[in-house]
C-alpha cells in the first residue's frame, strides 16, 4: 500500500506548496487589514535569510530536537501521502510535536518554557479530536488506511458532518491561528515573546519554519480526505477551509489557554459522541 | 512440570535462605544467583514450551490442598492478630468472614471437589512467568543496592532486610503459583499470599503512615478475597462442582457468570481500580523496590491476569461491558489525577492505575482483539514501569527528593540515569514504543466491539491526558541547566545492572514485539478464541523504521558542524549570571525558577477521585445486579 | 543580493524614549506605511532579529540590557538609532541618569535624526541599514570568521 511516488511528491513539493500557502496567507491577511502585504515569496526569503545567519544556540541539544521535529514531520506527511495507516500517522505527528516541545524545554528559558507548557496543553486539547476523526473515517470506510479512505466513493463529509466541524475547530489550533495561537504565533509580540520558538534562532529556526510548511500541507491533506470522492470538490473545499481559517485568524483576538482546552474538549466530546452514535445506529438499522 | 515446580518452589527456598543469611555478601550472592536461576528457568520454559500450546499437569492434590488450607488458616490468624493489635476492626471482620467461608467450603464441600488438573501452562502463562521471573528477579537485584542505601539514609528505621527479602521472594513464588494454577482453590491460595506479602512489604518501615497504608491495602484486598471466597463457594455448591479454570471457560456462561464476576471484583481490588485505587497510591510509602514489584510484575498484574483469563466469560455480557466501563473510567480519571501530581512516585502510581484500567477495559470487552491488546499492555507496561520506578528510586537517593520539580535538569547531573528514565517515559507514551502499540491495538479492538465507540472516545481523551503528564515530566528532565556536579558516581553496581537490563529490555521488546506476538500471543488467541489479531506487515515495517530513526537521530549530535555561538536564554534583556540568577529591582538578587503546570483546579486529586469512587461504585453494583440477573434469574 | 535584505526582522527597544519615537516606529507597521511590504517584521525577540531599532537615550538602568540584547542577536546584525535622543542623548543628554546616545554602549550603524523621527525617515534608515547588513554578511563570509568578535563586558564600541 505504500506508494513511493506519494512519498517523493510530498517530500519535494510540500515545502513549495506550504511556503506558497504561507505567502498567500500573509498577503491575504494584509489585504484584510487594509495593507499591501509582503510578496508571495516572502516566506522563502525569510527562511533563506535564516539559513544565511550565524548559528546560535541556547544549548547543544537544541539542534537535535529541531532536526528530529523536522524528520518526523516529514515522516508523518510521507506516511500520510503514501496511503499508510492513519493512526500511525497521528502517532508520528505526536512524536514530532513532542520533539519541538522538548527543544523548547531544553532551553531553560522562561518564555520558551511557558511556550512548551502551552504547546502541551494545545496538544492535549486537539489530540482527542484528531484520533476521533480517524475513528470516524474507520467507522464509515472500514479501514484505517489513508489509501482506502481516499478511494471511498461517497463524500465522507456527509457521514461525518459533526466530526468535520470538530476537526475544523481544532485545525485552528494546529495552524497556530488566532484565537488559538497560545504557544507561539506567526505574528509579532505575544505575551510570551515567541513561545516555543523563542530560543531557536538562525538556521535552526529555519528548519522549524520549513517543518511548519510540511505540517500545513499534511493538515490540509487531512481536510481533503473528507471530500476525497471528487478531487476538484476536494481541492475547492480545502481552499475554502483555509480561507475560513484566515478570516477567523484576522477577526479574533487570542484567548486564554483555559478556553482553548475546555472548548475543544467539549466540542470533541459532543460531536464525536453524537456523530459516532448516529453512525452506529444507522448501521444497526 | 519440573520447571513449573521449580519456579514455584525455587523462590520460596531462596526466601527461606534470606531469613538465615548473616552477612551482606552472602545475601548479595544468593539473591543474584537465584535471580539468575529464576530468569534462566523462565527462559528455558519459553524455549521448551512456547510451541507446545496448552499443557495440563495432574498433581497429587489431596495433601497439598490440605497443607494450603492450613497455611491459609495460619495467615488468617496472623492477620486477625494484627488487626486486633492495631484495632482495625474492618480488617478483623473481613478476615473472619473470609475464613468462615473457606472453613465451610473446606469442611462441607471439599471432599466432593475433584479437579483433575491442578497445574497448567500455556503461552499466556509463559508470558506472565517471563515478566515475573525476569523483571521480578531484576528488581530483587536492584533491591540489594537500594536497601543498603535506604538504611544508610534512614537510620531510624530498624534494619529488617532479612524479612524484606524473604517476602520479596515469597511474593515471586506466589505469583508463579498463581499463573500456573488451574485449580481455583490453588489460585485463591496464592492470591491470598500475595495479599499478605504486599501488606507486610508496604508496612516494612513500621512508621505510622506505612502501617496505615498497609492496612488500607489489606482491607481492600481482603474485600476482594471475600468476593473470591464467595465465588469459590458458589462454584462448590453447584450440583457438579466446577473448580478448574479450564472447566469454567468450558462451561456455559450462565452457570459461571456470577462467580466469574465475583472473581472479577477481586481482580478489580487487586488491580487497584477505582474505587479501590487508594491502596496502590498509599503503597508508595514502601521502599521503591516494593513499589516496583507491586506495580510491574506482581500484585496488580495478578488482578489483571485473572481478568484476562476469564475474559471469554465476560465477552458480550452486560456485566462484561460494565466491567470494561469501570476500567475505561479508571483510565480516564487516573490519567487526569496524574497531571496534578508532582511527586514522581505518585505520578507513576496513577499511571499504573490508568493503564491497568485500560487492560481491564480490554478484558471486559473480551474479544480476541481486545485480549491481544490487553496482553501487549501487560508486557510493555511491566517493563517500562519497573524501569521508571527503579530510576526514580535511584534518583531519590541521590538528590534526596522524589519530586519531579527537583529533577529539573537531571540530564546534566545524572546523565545516564536520566537517559534511562527518558527511555522509560518514552516507552510509556510515545510511538513507536510498546505502550503506544498497545494503545493502538486497543483502539482497533474497541472500535470493532459493540458499544465500542464509547470506549474509543474515552481512550482518545485519556491518552491526551497521559501525553500531557508524561511529556512535561520528560521536559523537566531534559532541561539543559548550567553545568552541575555529577551525582552518578556513588550508585551501587547492583542498581546499574537492573537499570541497564530493563532499559535494554524496553528497547528490545519494541524491536522483537512482532516475534512475541507471533510466537506467544497469537497462538494463545487462536486456541482460546479461534481467531487472532496482529498488525499488518506494512505497519510493522514502518514502526521499525521509526525505531531506527529514534535510535539514529541522537547520533546527529555527533556530526561535524559549523562553528556556533552559545547564547544565554532570553530573559527580556536582563543580564543573568551563570546560574541564571539576576539582579532585579532595588538590587535584589533573584533566582530564575521554572516549574511545570499541574492544573490543580481541574485535575485535583480529591475532586476527581471522589467522582471516580462514586461512579465506579455504582457501576460495580450494576455489574453484580446484571450478573445475578443473567446468571441466576434469567 | 542575498535573502538578508529581503527579510529584515526587527527588534525594537525603548531605551529612555519619551515614547514619541516609539509611536512613530509602530506607525510604520500600520496600513499607512505597511513595512511588511519589504518583509519587515517586528519580532520582539533578539534571537530572531537582524536589525536592532533603538529609541531614546541610554540610561544607567538599561545599559546592560542594551548590550545584552545586542549580544543575543545572531550575526550579521545592524543597529539603527531612532530619534535625536538615541543619536546623541538629545535634550536629555545632561540628565544625571543618562549615559548618552546608543553609541556609547554598542556600535550604531545608522542614525535617524528627528524629534520625533518621521516614519518615512525611519523606513529610509532601515533601508540604508539593509545595505550595511549585506556588507556585514560579505565580510562575515569572506573573513571566514564565522562569528564576529563580541563586545567585551563593559567595553565601549568603536
Ligand atoms: S527624539 Fe524626541 S520624540 Fe524621540 S524619544 Fe527623544 S524626545 Fe522623544
Amino acid at each position: 500500500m505504500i506508494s513511493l511516488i506519494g512519498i517523493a511528491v510530498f517530500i519535494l513539493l510540500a515545502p513549495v506548496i506550504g511556503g506558497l500557502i504561507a505567502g498567500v496567507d500573509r498577503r491575504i491577511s494584509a489585504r484584510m487589514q487594509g495593507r499591501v502585504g509582503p510578496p508571495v515569496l516572502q516566506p522563502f526569503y525569510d527562511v533563506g535569510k535564516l539559513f544565511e545567519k550565524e548559528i546560535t544556540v541556547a544549548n547543544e541539544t537544541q539542534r537535535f530536537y529541531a532536526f528530529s521535529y523536522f524528520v518526523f514531520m516529514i515522516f508523518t506527511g510521507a506516511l500520510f501521502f503514501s496511503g499508510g495507516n492513519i493512526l500511525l500517522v497521528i502517532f508520528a505527528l505526536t512524536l514530532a510535536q513532542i520533539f519541538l516541545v522538548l527543544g523548547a524545554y531544553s532551553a531553560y528559558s522562561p518564555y520558551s518554557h511557558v511556550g512548551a507548557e502551552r504547546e502541551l496543553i494545545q496538544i492535549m486539547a486537539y489530540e482527542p479530536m484528531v484520533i476521533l476523526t480517524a475513528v470516524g473515517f474507520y467507522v464509515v470506510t472500514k479501514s484505517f488506511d489513508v489509501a482506502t479512505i481516499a478511494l471511498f466513493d461517497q463524500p465522507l463529509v456527509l457521514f461525518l458532518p459533526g466530526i468535520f466541524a470538530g476537526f475544523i475547530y481544532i485545525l485552528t489550533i494546529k495552524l497556530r491561528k488566532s484565537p488559538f495561537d497560545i504557544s507561539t504565533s506567526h505574528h509579532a509580540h505575544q505575551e510570551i515573546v515567541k513561545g516555543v520558538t523563542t530560543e531557536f534562532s538562525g538556521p535552526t529556526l529555519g528548519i522549524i519554519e520549513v517543518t511548519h510548511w510540511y505540517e500545513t500541507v499534511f493538515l490540509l491533506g487531512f481536510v481533503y480526505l473528507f471530500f476525497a470522492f471528487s478531487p476538484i470538490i476536494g481541492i475547492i473545499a480545502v481552499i475554502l477551509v483555509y480561507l475560513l481559517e484566515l478570516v477567523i485568524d484576522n477577526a479574533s483576538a487570542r484567548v486564554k489557554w483555559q478556553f482553548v482546552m475546555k472548548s475543544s474538549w467539549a466540542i470533541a466530546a459532543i460531536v464525536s459522541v453524537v456523530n459516532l452514535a448516529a453512525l452506529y445506529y444507522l448501521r444497526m438499522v | 512440570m519440573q520447571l513449573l515446580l521449580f519456579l514455584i518452589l525455587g523462590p520460596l527456598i531462596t526466601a527461606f535462605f534470606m531469613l538465615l543469611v548473616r552477612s551482606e555478601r552472602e545475601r548479595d550472592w544468593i539473591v543474584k544467583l537465584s535471580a539468575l536461576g529464576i530468569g534462566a528457568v523462565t527462559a528455558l520454559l519459553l524455549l521448551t514450551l512456547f510451541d507446545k500450546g496448552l499443557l495440563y499437569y495432574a498433581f497429587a492434590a489431596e495433601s497439598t490442598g490440605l497443607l494450603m488450607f492450613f497455611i491459609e488458616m495460619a495467615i488468617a490468624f496472623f492477620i486477625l492478630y494484627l488487626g486486633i493489635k492495631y484495632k482495625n476492626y474492618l480488617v478483623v471482620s473481613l478476615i473472619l468472614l473470609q475464613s468462615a467461608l473457606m472453613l465451610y467450603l473446606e469442611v462441607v464441600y471439599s471432599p466432593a471437589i475433584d479437579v483433575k488438573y491442578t497445574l497448567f501452562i500455556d503461552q499466556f502463562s509463559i508470558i506472565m512467568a517471563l515478566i515475573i521471573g525476569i523483571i521480578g528477579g531484576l528488581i530483587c537485584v536492584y533491591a540489594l543496592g537500594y536497601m543498603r542505601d535506604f538504611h544508610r539514609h534512614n537510620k531510624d528505621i530498624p534494619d529488617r532486610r532479612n524479612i524484606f527479602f524473604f517476602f520479596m521472594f515469597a511474593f515471586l513464588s506466589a505469583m508463579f503459583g498463581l499463573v500456573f494454577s488451574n485449580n481455583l482453590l490453588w489460585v485463591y491460595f496464592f492470591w491470598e499470599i500475595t495479599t499478605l506479602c504486599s501488606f507486610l512489604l508496604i508496612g516494612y518501615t513500621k512508621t505510622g503512615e506505612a502501617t496505615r497504608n498497609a492496612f488500607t491495602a489489606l482491607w481492600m484486598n481482603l474485600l476482594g478475597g471475600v468476593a473470591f471466597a464467595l465465588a469459590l463457594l458458589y462454584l462448590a455448591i453447584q450440583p457438579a462442582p466446577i473448580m478448574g479454570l479450564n472447566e469454567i471457560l468450558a462451561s456455559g456462561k450462565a452457570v459461571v457468570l456470577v462467580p466469574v464476576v465475583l472473581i472479577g471484583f477481586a481482580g478489580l481490588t487487586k488491580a487497584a481500580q477505582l474505587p479501590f485505587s487508594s491502596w496502590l497510591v498509599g503503597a508508595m510509602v514502601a521502599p521503591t523496590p516494593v513499589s516496583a514489584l507491586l506495580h510491574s510484575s506482581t500484585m496488580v498484574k495478578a488482578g489483571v491476569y485473572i481478568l484476562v483469563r476469564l475474559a471469554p466469560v465476560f465477552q458480550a455480557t452486560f456485566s462484561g461491558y460494565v466491567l470494561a466501563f469501570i476500567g475505561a473510567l479508571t483510565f480516564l480519571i487516573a490519567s487526569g489525577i496524574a497531571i496534578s501530581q508532582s511527586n514522581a512516585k505518585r505520578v507513576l502510581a496513577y499511571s499504573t492505575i490508568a493503564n491497568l484500567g485500560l487492560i481491564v477495559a480490554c478484558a471486559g470487552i473480551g474479544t480476541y482483539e481486545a485480549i491481544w491488546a490487553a496482553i501487549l499492555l501487560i508486557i510493555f507496561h511491566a517493563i517500562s514501569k519497573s524501569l521508571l520506578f527503579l530510576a526514580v528510586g535511584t534518583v531519590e537517593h541521590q538528590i534526596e527528593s522524589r519530586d519531579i520539580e527537583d529533577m529539573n535538569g537531571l540530564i546534566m547531573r545524572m546523565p545516564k540515569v536520566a537517559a534511562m528514565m527518558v527511555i522509560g517515559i518514552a516507552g510509556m507514551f510515545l510511538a513507536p514504543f510498546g505502550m503506544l502499540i498497545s494503545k493502538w491495538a486497543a483502539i482497533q479492538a474497541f472500535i470493532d466491539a459493540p458499544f465500542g465507540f464509547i470506549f474509543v472516545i474515552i481512550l482518545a481523551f485519556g491518552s491526551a491526558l497521559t501525553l500531557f503528564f508524561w511529556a512535561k515530566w520528560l521536559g523537566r528532565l531534559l532541561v539543559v541547566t548550567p553545568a552541575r556536579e555529577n551525582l552518578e558516581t556513588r550508585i551501587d553496581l547492583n542498581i546499574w545492572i537492573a537499570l541497564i537490563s530493563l532499559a535494554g529490555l524496553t528497547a528490545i521488546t519494541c524491536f522483537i514485539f512482532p516475534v512475541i506476538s507471533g510466537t506467544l500471543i497469537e497462538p494463545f488467541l487462536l486456541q482460546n478464541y479461534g481467531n487472532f489479531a496482529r498488525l499488518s506487515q506494512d505497519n510493522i515495517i514502518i514502526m521499525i523504521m521509526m525505531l531506527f530513526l529514534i535510535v539514529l537521530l541522537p547520533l546527529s549530535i555527533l556530526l561535524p558542524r559549523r562553528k556556533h555561538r552559545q547564547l544565554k536564554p532570553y530573559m527580556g534583556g536582563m543580564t543573568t549570571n551563570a546560574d541564571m540568577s539576576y539582579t532585579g529591582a532595588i538590587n535584589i538578587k533573584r533566582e530564575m525558577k521554572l516549574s511545570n503546570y499541574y492544573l490543580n483546579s481541574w485535575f485535583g486529586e480529591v475532586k476527581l477521585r471522589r467522582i471516580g469512587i462514586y461512579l465506579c461504585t455504582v457501576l460495580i453494583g450494576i455489574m453484580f445486579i446484571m450478573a445475578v440477573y443473567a446468571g441466576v434469574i434469567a | 543580493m542575498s535573502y538578508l535584505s529581503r527579510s529584515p526582522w526587527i527588534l525594537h527597544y525603548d531605551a529612555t524614549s519619551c515614547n514619541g519615537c516609539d509611536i512613530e516606529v509602530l506607525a510604520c507597521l500600520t496600513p499607512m506605511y505597511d513595512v511588511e511590504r519589504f518583509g519587515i517584521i517586528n519580532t520582539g525577540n533578539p534571537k530572531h532579529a537582524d536589525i536592532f531599532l533603538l529609541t531614546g537615550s541610554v540610561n544607567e538602568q538599561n545599559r546592560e540590557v542594551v548590550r545584552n540584547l545586542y549580544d543575543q542577536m545572531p550575526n550579521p546584525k545592524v543597529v539603527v538609532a531612532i530619534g535625536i535622543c538615541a543619536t546623541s542623548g538629545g535634550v536629555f543628554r545632561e540628565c544625571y541618569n543618562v549615559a548618552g546616545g546608543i553609541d556609547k554602549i554598542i556600535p550604531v550603524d545608522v542614525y535617524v535624526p528627528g524629534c520625533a523621527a518621521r516614519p518615512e525617515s525611519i523606513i529610509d534608515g532601515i533601508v540604508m541599514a539593509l545595505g550595511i547588513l549585506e556588507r556585514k554578511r560579505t565580510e562575515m563570509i569572506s573573513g571566514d570568521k564565522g562569528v564576529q568578535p563580541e563586545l567585551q563586558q563593559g567595553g565601549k564600541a568603536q
Side-chain angles (χ1 to χ4, degrees):
Chain A
M1 278 299 191
I2 308 228
S3 100
L4 287 174
I5 304 169
I7 297 178
V9 168
F10 175 76
I11 292 179
L12 295 175
L13 281 188
V16 179
I17 298 172
L20 282 176
I21 291 175
V24 173
D25 175 334
R26 279 173 70 174
R27 188 88 176 188
I28 296 177
S29 290
R31 291 294 161 85
M32 286 179 182
Q33 296 162 5
R35 295 186 289 116
V36 178
V40 173
L41 294 182
Q42 187 61 43
F44 297 100
Y45 300 154
D46 288 347
V47 167
K49 188 259 325 248
L50 287 170
F51 280 101
E52 284 173 359
K53 298 276 288 189
E54 167 199 24
I55 303 176
T56 48
V57 294
N59 62 61
E60 297 281 333
T61 59
Q62 233 188 352
R63 283 158 48 94
F64 154 66
Y65 295 121
F67 189 60
S68 305
Y69 174 47
F70 176 69
V71 169
F72 279 105
M73 189 57 79
I74 293 182
F75 191 92
T76 308
L79 196 58
F80 181 84
F81 283 97
S82 66
N85 186 302
I86 199 162
L87 286 175
L88 200 50
V89 170
I90 294 171
F91 298 149
L93 175 72
T94 310
L95 182 62
Q97 292 290 343
I98 292 292
F99 273 113
L100 178 66
V101 171
L102 292 182
Y105 266 115
S106 79
Y108 203 42
S109 140
Y111 297 105
S112 85
H113 185 270
V114 177
E117 299 277 345
R118 288 198 191 172
E119 179 80 19
L120 281 180
I121 289 178
Q122 278 192 3
I123 299 177
M124 179 160 71
Y126 71 67
E127 180 97 350
M129 193 63 233
V130 178
I131 293 181
L132 291 172
T133 306
V135 168
F137 288 153
Y138 180 86
V139 173
V140 180
T141 64
K142 293 278 156 291
S143 168
F144 276 120
D145 286 333
V146 176
T148 322
I149 299 172
L151 290 178
F152 193 66
D153 52 359
Q154 284 158 300
L156 273 171
V157 69
L158 293 183
F159 295 92
L160 304 166
I163 286 190
F164 179 67
F167 187 77
I168 298 298
Y169 193 81
I170 55 109
L171 188 65
T172 320
I173 305 179
K174 280 302 298 163
L175 291 173
R176 304 184 186 286
K177 298 280 185 206
S178 262
F180 298 150
D181 50 349
I182 54 171
S183 75
T184 182
S185 73
H186 298 300
H187 307 298
H189 285 313
Q190 183 172 1
E191 70 278 17
I192 51 169
V193 190
K194 274 281 186 182
V196 263
T197 53
T198 305
E199 297 295 332
F200 292 100
S201 52
T204 329
L205 184 64
I207 290 181
I208 290 180
E209 287 294 321
V210 177
T211 314
H212 283 323
W213 299 345
Y214 274 110
E215 189 179 5
T216 310
V217 173
F218 155 69
L219 289 170
L220 294 180
F222 222 106
V223 176
Y224 175 83
L225 278 190
F226 283 97
F227 303 92
F229 70 106
S230 144
I232 297 169
I233 295 182
I235 288 170
I236 295 174
V238 167
I239 294 173
L240 287 179
V241 165
Y242 199 85
L243 286 178
L244 175 68
E245 294 291 345
L246 267 182
V247 173
I248 296 172
D249 187 24
N250 281 295
S252 55
R254 184 177 306 124
V255 295
K256 290 183 184 170
W257 63 259
Q258 284 91 338
F259 180 80
V260 178
M261 177 73 202
K262 270 189 210 158
S263 63
S264 31
W265 271 44
I267 287 178
I270 293 168
V271 298
S272 57
V273 169
V274 173
N275 204 330
L276 291 178
L279 284 176
Y280 270 85
Y281 177 75
L282 285 178
R283 203 206 291 165
M284 274 194 282
V285 173
Chain B
M1 172 90 155
Q2 285 84 351
L3 290 181
L4 302 195
L5 286 181
F6 177 88
L7 283 176
I8 299 174
L9 296 178
L12 198 63
I13 295 167
T14 313
F16 283 106
F17 267 119
M18 285 292 111
L19 282 179
L20 301 175
V21 292
R22 288 283 153 263
S23 77
E24 273 193 23
R25 279 238 343 254
E26 264 176 49
R27 183 187 300 126
D28 265 33
W29 281 110
I30 298 179
V31 168
K32 273 191 222 170
L33 286 179
S34 351
L36 199 66
I38 295 170
V41 175
T42 47
L44 196 64
L45 196 68
L46 171 72
L47 291 177
T48 50
L49 295 177
F50 77 92
D51 52 353
K52 299 284 189 306
L54 182 62
L55 295 176
Y56 289 107
Y57 303 98
F59 190 72
E62 278 300 303
S63 50
T64 332
L66 213 57
L67 178 69
M68 281 180 178
F69 178 72
F70 282 122
I71 297 178
E72 265 165 33
M73 287 300 127
I75 292 174
F77 275 115
F78 179 61
I79 291 178
L80 197 61
Y81 160 73
L82 284 178
I84 291 170
K85 184 176 159 197
Y86 287 95
K87 299 203 173 47
N88 195 320
Y89 297 109
L90 183 58
V91 164
V92 171
S93 42
L94 284 173
I95 192 72
L96 284 177
L97 180 59
Q98 190 178 350
S99 317
L101 287 171
M102 288 315 286
L103 202 63
Y104 181 61
L105 177 72
E106 183 69 27
V107 175
V108 181
Y109 294 102
S110 96
I113 295 170
D114 173 37
V115 180
K116 197 151 150 230
Y117 302 112
T118 42
L119 291 177
F120 79 117
I121 188 158
D122 65 356
Q123 285 91 350
F124 185 32
S125 300
I126 295 180
I127 293 174
M128 290 305 293
L130 283 170
I131 292 175
I132 300 161
I134 295 176
I135 298 179
L138 284 172
I139 292 173
C140 288
V141 172
Y142 172 91
L144 288 171
Y146 183 91
M147 292 312 286
R148 202 166 12 238
D149 282 350
F150 183 81
H151 286 292
R152 208 179 292 144
H153 281 272
N154 306 291
K155 289 267 188 303
D156 46 332
I157 293 169
D159 186 346
R160 295 185 297 142
R161 266 184 277 172
N162 285 3
I163 300 274
F164 181 85
F165 279 97
F166 170 78
F167 282 114
M168 293 285 273
F169 278 96
F171 214 140
L172 293 186
S173 158
M175 279 303 291
F176 279 121
L178 193 80
V179 299
F180 293 143
S181 297
N182 182 44
N183 184 340
L184 276 179
L185 288 168
W186 284 37
V187 175
Y188 173 80
F189 168 74
F190 290 120
W191 186 271
E192 287 306 297
I193 302 248
T194 60
T195 301
L196 177 76
C197 286
S198 66
F199 164 65
L200 292 169
L201 284 172
I202 296 169
Y204 174 73
T205 57
K206 288 199 167 167
T207 58
E209 194 190 5
T211 315
R212 219 173 22 254
N213 292 348
F215 271 105
T216 313
L218 186 61
W219 80 254
M220 286 186 175
N221 281 300
L222 282 181
L223 195 62
V226 171
F228 207 134
L230 272 175
L232 295 182
L233 198 62
Y234 184 98
L235 289 169
I237 58 172
Q238 297 299 316
I242 306 170
M243 249 335 141
L245 262 177
N246 58 336
E247 296 162 22
I248 286 199
L249 295 182
S251 54
K253 263 182 206 168
V255 188
V256 291
L257 191 61
V258 173
V260 163
V261 166
L262 280 168
I263 296 177
F265 174 78
L268 287 181
T269 59
K270 193 139 280 205
Q273 297 298 290
L274 281 168
F276 304 109
S277 64
S278 51
W279 78 258
L280 192 62
V281 182
M284 291 298 120
V285 294
T288 299
V290 178
S291 322
L293 203 62
L294 293 182
H295 280 257
S296 60
S297 53
T298 61
M299 197 67 182
V300 295
K301 288 286 149 65
V304 290
Y305 163 79
I306 202 76
L307 287 171
V308 172
R309 269 277 173 237
L310 297 174
V313 183
F314 288 120
Q315 189 194 347
T317 61
F318 198 83
S319 299
Y321 288 124
V322 178
L323 178 75
F325 200 59
I326 294 170
L329 267 184
T330 305
F331 173 62
L332 188 67
I333 290 173
S335 304
I337 296 177
I339 290 183
S340 68
Q341 301 299 311
S342 74
N343 179 328
K345 280 180 95 175
R346 289 179 81 93
V347 173
L348 293 182
Y350 276 111
S351 135
T352 301
I353 295 170
N355 284 308
L356 293 171
L358 208 51
I359 302 174
V360 170
C362 290
I365 292 208
T367 59
Y368 64 93
E369 286 168 311
I371 297 306
W372 185 60
I375 297 177
L376 284 180
L377 279 165
I378 291 178
I379 300 174
F380 290 121
H381 177 260
I383 300 171
S384 298
K385 199 41 84 57
S386 52
L387 172 62
L388 278 173
F389 264 110
L390 300 192
V392 167
T394 315
V395 171
E396 184 188 358
H397 274 175
Q398 302 307 321
I399 67 171
E400 311 270 332
S401 163
R402 50 169 81 158
D403 197 300
I404 291 175
E405 294 305 318
D406 293 328
M407 295 183 195
N408 190 22
L410 198 68
I411 196 83
M412 303 297 284
R413 286 179 284 169
M414 304 173 71
K416 291 193 208 111
V417 179
M420 286 174 207
M421 223 189 245
V422 168
I423 295 175
I425 293 180
M428 290 302 298
F429 82 108
L430 275 184
F433 290 102
M435 287 303 282
L436 203 97
I437 304 176
S438 326
K439 273 185 197 159
W440 182 6
I443 292 182
Q444 186 84 54
F446 289 160
I447 207 171
D448 291 332
F451 303 112
F453 74 98
I454 298 170
F455 296 102
V456 176
I457 293 172
I458 294 180
L459 180 62
F461 283 96
S463 342
L465 295 173
T466 45
L467 182 131
F468 185 74
F469 71 79
W470 286 123
K472 70 183 179 164
W473 183 353
L474 202 54
R476 195 105 316 273
L477 295 177
L478 292 172
V479 171
V480 178
T481 55
R484 303 265 285 276
E485 178 204 5
N486 188 315
L487 299 173
E488 277 183 341
T489 45
R490 293 174 288 180
I491 296 173
D492 194 288
L493 178 69
N494 293 324
I495 291 182
W496 282 124
I497 295 176
L499 282 177
I500 292 171
S501 320
L502 284 171
L505 269 180
T506 309
I508 292 169
T509 40
C510 295
F511 275 108
I512 61 164
F513 119 85
V515 183
I516 301 177
S517 171
T519 51
L520 292 174
I521 310 180
E522 284 162 27
F524 168 74
L525 292 176
L526 204 58
Q527 188 153 36
N528 285 274
Y529 297 86
N531 212 336
F532 64 86
R534 62 146 67 124
L535 289 178
S536 79
Q537 277 307 314
D538 283 355
N539 291 332
I540 289 173
I541 294 169
I542 294 166
M543 302 289 282
I544 289 179
M545 267 162 62
M546 263 168 118
L547 267 173
F548 270 112
L549 274 181
I550 288 226
V551 175
L552 286 182
L553 274 176
L555 297 182
S556 70
I557 251 177
L558 301 176
L559 290 178
R561 66 177 81 128
R562 284 187 288 157
K563 253 197 283 181
H564 63 264
R565 183 158 65 102
Q566 200 146 349
L567 297 179
K568 286 241 183 81
Y570 177 60
M571 293 271 284
M574 195 58 92
T575 356
T576 47
N577 302 326
D579 59 347
M580 293 302 291
S581 64
Y582 60 94
T583 317
I586 54 170
N587 279 336
I588 293 176
K589 192 175 165 196
R590 292 182 189 281
E591 295 285 335
M592 201 257 306
K593 197 166 179 313
L594 302 177
S595 126
N596 279 339
Y597 284 11
Y598 289 97
L599 315 188
N600 244 313
S601 58
W602 290 11
F603 298 109
E605 187 178 10
V606 179
K607 188 172 86 179
L608 278 188
R609 203 181 55 203
R610 192 177 318 124
I611 297 173
I613 288 179
Y614 286 145
L615 280 177
C616 291
T617 313
V618 172
L619 284 172
I620 287 179
I622 296 177
M623 177 172 82
F624 279 127
I625 293 169
M626 290 319 291
V628 171
Y629 176 76
V632 182
I633 301 169
Chain C
M1 204 164 76
S2 69
Y3 293 116
L4 253 182
S5 50
R6 289 195 192 163
S7 152
W9 291 359
I10 281 171
L11 172 68
H12 166 210
Y13 180 69
D14 170 355
T16 321
S17 159
C18 75
N19 273 184
C21 288
D22 295 321
I23 300 292
E24 300 300 331
V25 168
L26 295 179
C28 297
L29 299 169
T30 59
M32 178 81 172
Y33 299 101
D34 188 24
V35 285
E36 210 198 340
R37 276 177 298 159
F38 310 118
I40 297 174
I41 290 180
N42 189 356
T43 60
N45 177 359
K47 298 191 169 181
H48 294 184
D50 313 295
I51 299 182
F52 194 8
L53 287 191
L54 287 117
T55 56
S57 53
V58 177
N59 65 30
E60 299 301 334
Q61 287 285 325
N62 65 22
R63 54 194 309 160
E64 289 303 316
V65 176
V66 169
R67 197 188 340 260
N68 197 9
L69 289 175
Y70 180 78
D71 281 348
Q72 286 189 338
M73 289 171 59
N75 290 313
K77 57 194 168 192
V78 291
V79 178
V80 181
I82 308 275
I84 203 66
C85 292
T87 306
S88 66
V91 290
F92 303 111
R93 72 182 298 157
E94 302 296 327
C95 278
Y96 68 98
N97 62 335
V98 165
I102 304 294
D103 54 11
K104 287 268 183 347
I105 310 294
I106 55 173
V108 174
D109 301 282
V110 180
Y111 296 90
V112 179
C115 175
R118 296 183 62 82
E120 288 89 345
S121 35
I122 295 176
I123 296 173
D124 266 358
I126 294 173
V127 170
M128 221 162 133
L130 295 182
I132 302 174
L133 203 57
E134 286 287 336
R135 206 191 65 224
K136 285 197 175 175
R137 175 177 141 74
T138 357
E139 276 170 16
M140 192 172 109
I141 297 169
S142 63
D144 198 28
K145 284 178 284 186
V147 179
Q148 281 194 345
E150 276 318 295
L151 287 176
Q152 296 302 309
Q153 276 287 326
K156 223 172 149 194
Q158 294 178 351

